[in-house]
Every structure is written in structure tokens, then in C-alpha cells.
Amino acid sequence: MNYIQVTFSFNTIEEYQQDLLIAELGDIGFNTFEEVDGGFLAFIDLNTFSEDQLKNVLKQFESDFECSYVISEIEAKNWNEEWEKNFEPLIINDQCYVRATFHEAQPAYPYEIVIDPKMAFGTGHHQTTTMMIQYILETDVKDKEILDMGCGTAILAILAAKKGASGLIAIDNDEVCYESSVENAALNGVKNLEAFCGGKEVIPSKEFDIILANINRNILIDQIPVYATALKSGGQIFFSGFYESPDLDMIKATCLPFGIQYVNHKKIGEWVAASFIKD
């Protein structure tokens, strides 16, 4: 399978602006990114690529920064090999150790997660994933039914399983993420995780004690009514993938009519994760 490589170049761009651009590119099918001097490379399946979609994404940022890009077609790479060059193990709150299969185990940590992401998002290194992991570490998930939306590698669901969750549903609209979730669950000995490829339409008709949704503001706002139906009374929901202003207030306002109340939030850099509870 061949890929499209888009080389993005910037005169000046803030880190949070680049993160936001990458998140938007992920929504239209780009699934691997590599930093280079003056910008970054983004990769997408040849059959998925649409330059019109790319232009629409960039149009959203035209008042924020100047950007140029070059499109080229490349042969398939060994994406795991590319990823291994830069991936380092991650320790969160001195409790959770995230590593790849080629790193040594560290049994001293209470929770060790083995992740082979292929081209999928969610190694824990992004601020949003880190904050979601922190919330899970702080939350009693034992014997709870959990929904992980936009699951990426299923790292969040896997941590919840290791903390004693009784049932886990992991959903992502990217086929590679779906496959990665299934494989990573097996790598970690998690047998009670069921993965689905799709969006809100594939959420099973059942109620959950906890919902994890690390996506982006627009998708979260669109899906909150569905989450409200799927979340038990007294259930918790953790959101991430957005900024403090104006995103957090927009999400609070969307949740309020459904009886989903804001509890608190975390912030790393420009990124935010927030905790809510259903009345």
C-alpha cells in the first residue's frame, strides 16, 4: 500500500497551534506524523487522501499562522521501525509505566502497559493522554463498565482493565486504531475488552459507569447527547482533546441540559482534560 507524504513548513508556529493542526489532520485520515526542521511530515493512505479536505483544514488556521506544504507519494514504510527510533518509555505519577515490546519490563510499577501503536495515536506521550491516565489512576474503576471513545491504541481502556474494570468497550473510527486496540489488549493479557471500528453509531445499547473520550472539541460536542444516554446516573465522564478557552465552557454548556455536571479539570500546556458527573 502506498502513502501520501505531506511536508508542512512554517515560518513561525506555536506548539499548541501545531498540536491542534495535527489533531485536525488526524480527523481526515492522517495517521503518522514526524517532526522535521521548520515543520513536520504527515502521512496518509493514498486511497484516503483528499487535497480538498486538506485545504479545508488549513483554511481554519489561515489567520493564525502561515503554512506551505508539498505533497509526494511514497512507498509503504515499516511504521513500527520508524516509531521505535524515537519512542521512550513513559512514567506517569510514579504508578503507570508505558513501554513497547522492545523495552525491558519494570515490575516495580503498579501498572505496566505494553503498547505497539503501529500508526495509531495514543502512546501516552501526548498531554491529553497523560491527563486521562492521571484521571484513571485517581478513580475507582473496580467492577465498573467502561466506554473508551476515540481509543487509539486502547491505552486508557487497558489501564482501566488493569485496575479491575469489569467490562470495557473501545471504539475508534480508524481501522488501524481498531486493529491496534485488539492487538494491544492481547499483549497486556486483557480479555474483557471488546473493540469496535466506527463512531457514536456503534456504541452498544447498554449503560456505562465511566466514559473516557479523548477526541476533540467539535466531535465531543456532537457526541455528548449520545454519551448522556449511555452513561448511568451517578456515572463519571472524562473528556480531553481541547483547550481551556473557549472549549471548556462550550463543553460545560453542552453537558448541562443532560444533567452532566462539571467537577474539575487538569491542564498541561494549552491542553485540558475535564471530569464530569451525571446527576
Side-chain angles (χ1 to χ4, degrees), residues 146-166:
I146 293 179
L147 171 64
D148 182 2
M149 290 296 294
C151 61
T153 58
I155 185 173
L156 302 180
I158 289 167
L159 175 58
K162 288 179 177 286
K163 289 197 68 189
S166 59

Side-chain angles (χ1 to χ4, degrees), residues 6-155:
V6 181
T7 303
F8 293 92
S9 301
F10 311 91
N11 290 330
T12 58
I13 187 172
E14 298 292 335
E15 181 179 358
Y16 79 91
Q17 292 174 328
Q18 180 168 301
D19 284 344
L20 186 56
L21 173 57
I22 287 174
E24 293 292 335
L25 292 172
D27 287 342
I28 62 169
F30 285 87
N31 45 36
T32 301
F33 303 91
E34 180 181 336
E35 289 195 21
V36 294
D37 290 341
F40 63 88
L41 309 179
F43 301 89
I44 185 172
D45 179 350
L46 175 63
N47 297 324
T48 304
F49 177 67
S50 163
E51 188 170 4
D52 286 340
Q53 286 187 323
L54 173 59
K55 288 178 178 177
N56 287 336
V57 166
L58 293 175
K59 190 173 182 180
Q60 300 175 41
F61 298 94
E62 59 187 5
S63 62
D64 298 321
F65 51 79
E66 292 185 4
C67 171
S68 61
Y69 65 88
V70 176
I71 299 170
S72 53
E73 184 176 339
I74 62 170
E75 293 183 359
K77 290 185 177 183
N78 183 335
W79 298 105
N80 272 349
E81 184 178 303
E82 293 295 315
W83 171 74
E84 287 174 15
K85 292 176 183 177
N86 300 304
F87 181 79
E88 294 293 334
L90 182 69
I91 300 168
I92 299 175
N93 288 19
D94 289 325
Q95 297 181 65
C96 183
Y97 178 69
V98 182
R99 68 175 179 89
T101 49
F102 52 86
H103 295 131
E104 289 188 10
Q106 296 286 348
Y109 292 97
Y111 307 107
E112 182 175 79
I113 301 175
V114 184
I115 295 292
D116 272 346
K118 295 188 174 180
M119 293 180 292
F121 294 107
T123 61
H125 286 73
H126 194 272
Q127 297 96 316
T128 58
T129 314
T130 296
M131 290 185 287
M132 293 292 278
I133 288 174
Q134 290 172 339
Y135 268 128
I136 296 170
L137 290 172
E138 297 164 5
T139 302
D140 179 11
V141 302
K142 186 172 175 58
D143 299 325
K144 301 289 180 67
E145 293 283 339
I146 293 179
L147 171 64
D148 182 2
M149 290 296 294
C151 61
T153 58
I155 185 173

